Amino acid sequence: WLKVSRKRACELCLTEFRFQSVYKDDAPKRLNSLQVLVGSMQLGAGLLPDLGRYAAVGAIWLVVFPLFNSRVHRLFFARRLD
């Protein structure tokens, strides 16, 4: 869009646009499959603690909490009066 509009500064704050390279100069043009796989595995390993936490919370809310509530309900409200 900047090439099409040929604007050199922001229209709101008049700050001039500056661009810098995102990658290092010696970065490869393409990654091979092994590098992509290793990077994906490292990213996945970083997510394991969060996934474990989500699984534990899900198990508590979907299994433990309903069982506990049913036991408490049966204890207090479902007694026979004979």
Side-chain angles (χ1 to χ4, degrees), residues 5-44:
S5 67
R6 295 186 180 159
K7 304 237 184 227
R8 300 189 137 252
C10 175
E11 296 172 359
L12 298 175
C13 65
L14 301 176
T15 301
E16 205 166 302
F17 295 122
R18 290 179 285 159
F19 298 98
Q20 60 187 18
S21 179
V22 176
Y23 303 107
K24 292 183 180 180
D25 293 333
D26 60 342
K29 296 288 182 199
R30 298 185 70 179
L31 296 176
N32 63 29
S33 301
L34 181 62
Q35 290 172 324
V36 172
L37 181 65
V38 169
S40 299
M41 289 176 64
Q42 288 174 341
L43 181 64

Side-chain angles (χ1 to χ4, degrees), residues 48-65:
L48 282 178
D50 289 335
L51 292 176
R53 185 179 310 120
Y54 296 147
V57 168
I60 289 171
W61 277 99
L62 296 174
V63 176
V64 176
F65 191 66

